Amino acid sequence: AQKVTQTQTSISVMEKTTVTMDCVYETQDSSYFLFWYKQTASGEIVFLIRQDSYKKENATVGHYSLNFQKPKSSIGLIITATQIEDSAVYFCAMREIASSSFSKLVFGQGTSLSVVP
Amino acid sequence: ETAVFQTPNYHVTQVGNEVSFNCKQTLGHDTMYWYKQDSKKLLKIMFSYNNKQLIVNETVPRRFSPQSSDKAHLNLRIKSVEPEDSAVYLCASSWTGGGSAETLYFGSGTRLTVL
C-alpha cells in the first residue's frame, strides 16, 4: 500500500531565506506522480508543483523546486527567497500510475511553515 | 480563480441530524472527490466519482452517501451525524483522461461542527 510521510511538523524561517521541506514515500509501483500542495490560513488548498517518477530532471515552478531522489524515495520541496505569504501548511502527495486508471491520491501529514520578518 | 464551488462554508448541527453538502466544478473535469480533513489537518479520501460513476469508496460509515447528478456536480449527505463527523469536508476535481497526472483542484471546504 502506498504511504507518504512528512516528518517535519512545523518550520520557522526568516523572510527571504531558502527552506526545504522533506517528504518520503512508499510504493510498490515503478511509475507514479508526486505532488506538493499548499493550504493557506483560509483553508484553500492549491496545487504547487509535480514530479513525474520517470523524469530525472527536478521540477521547477517559480520559486518552488523539487529535490527528487528516487533511490531514497524522497521528494523535497525547496522554496527560495521566501515571503511572508508563503506561510501555510504544505502537503506532499503521491498517486500511483500503474495500479489503476483511477488510483487514489494519498497525502502526507503536512508541514506548517512560518515565514517571519 | 475559484473553479470548484462548495456550499455551505460552515454548518453547525446537533447529533442525529441529517446534513447535505454541495459541490460544483466548472473546469470540465471528469472526476470529482470528497476528502475529509480532521482537526490534525490529515487529509483522507472518502469517495471518488468518474462521470457519475462511483469508483473509489473508502471505508467510511454507512451514514455517509455521495450523490452525483452529472460529472460537474457531487454532493455528500450524512444521515444522523455523530460528534466524530466534525471536520472540514473538501471537494476536489481532476481530469483523468489520456495519461493525465490527475492533478486535483480543491474547493474551499465545508466546516461541519456537530454539537
Side-chain angles (χ1 to χ4, degrees):
Chain A
Q2 56 189 108
K3 184 179 179 181
V4 178
T5 303
Q6 296 176 252
T7 56
Q8 299 158 304
T9 303
S10 63
I11 302 174
S12 182
V13 300
M14 297 287 288
E15 190 180 11
K16 300 180 184 177
T17 61
T18 295
V19 62
T20 298
M21 283 174 268
D22 302 328
C23 175
V24 293
Y25 55 90
E26 297 175 23
T27 180
Q28 304 296 324
D29 283 4
S30 57
S31 296
Y32 44 89
F33 294 113
L34 298 162
F35 303 81
W36 280 90
Y37 286 83
K38 170 185 177 181
Q39 185 171 34
T40 61
S42 67
E44 183 184 14
I45 299 179
V46 295
F47 164 69
L48 293 178
I49 190 169
R50 184 187 91 226
Q51 180 76 40
D52 302 346
S53 64
Y54 50 86
K55 292 185 177 179
K56 292 184 178 180
E57 304 79 25
N58 289 321
T60 298
V61 175
H63 73 144
Y64 302 108
S65 61
L66 297 177
N67 179 17
F68 180 41
Q69 300 184 58
K70 194 171 183 178
K72 295 184 178 180
S73 296
S74 170
I75 183 73
L77 173 68
I78 303 167
I79 307 177
T80 56
T82 52
Q83 303 163 10
I84 301 296
E85 50 266 36
D86 290 325
S87 297
V89 177
Y90 290 81
F91 291 96
C92 176
M94 176 178 68
R95 182 193 301 280
E96 295 169 338
I97 299 175
S99 58
S100 167
S101 297
F102 303 115
S103 55
K104 298 179 293 185
L105 185 67
V106 174
F107 285 85
Q109 300 92 326
T111 297
S112 178
L113 174 67
S114 293
V115 180
V116 298
Chain B
E1 183 180 351
T2 303
V4 180
F5 303 93
Q6 288 187 241
T7 57
N9 294 325
Y10 304 91
H11 191 84
V12 180
T13 190
Q14 295 189 329
V15 171
N17 285 349
E18 177 177 314
V19 299
S20 289
F21 306 144
N22 302 312
C23 181
K24 170 187 175 181
Q25 57 95 3
T26 59
L27 295 165
H29 289 163
D30 60 353
T31 304
M32 296 184 71
Y33 311 79
W34 280 111
Y35 277 82
K36 180 180 180 181
Q37 186 172 40
D38 63 20
S39 57
K40 296 182 179 179
K41 295 282 190 181
L42 293 175
L43 279 160
K44 286 196 171 181
I45 189 168
M46 301 175 69
F47 303 101
S48 173
Y49 268 76
N50 174 262
N51 285 316
K52 298 195 298 179
Q53 181 181 5
L54 181 64
I55 54 171
V56 172
N57 184 355
E58 290 297 288
T59 306
V60 299
R62 293 173 67 177
R63 60 181 179 276
F64 289 85
S65 59
Q67 298 167 320
S68 179
S69 57
D70 56 56
K71 67 178 184 179
H73 295 84
L74 181 63
N75 300 329
L76 181 66
R77 185 179 72 167
I78 314 174
K79 288 195 298 185
S80 189
V81 295
E82 307 252 344
E84 60 263 32
D85 297 337
S86 294
V88 176
Y89 293 86
L90 288 147
C91 176
S93 70
S94 71
W95 174 251
T96 58
S100 163
E102 302 175 38
T103 301
L104 262 60
Y105 293 83
F106 285 87
S108 55
T110 295
R111 181 178 295 277
L112 174 66
T113 301
V114 180
L115 303 175

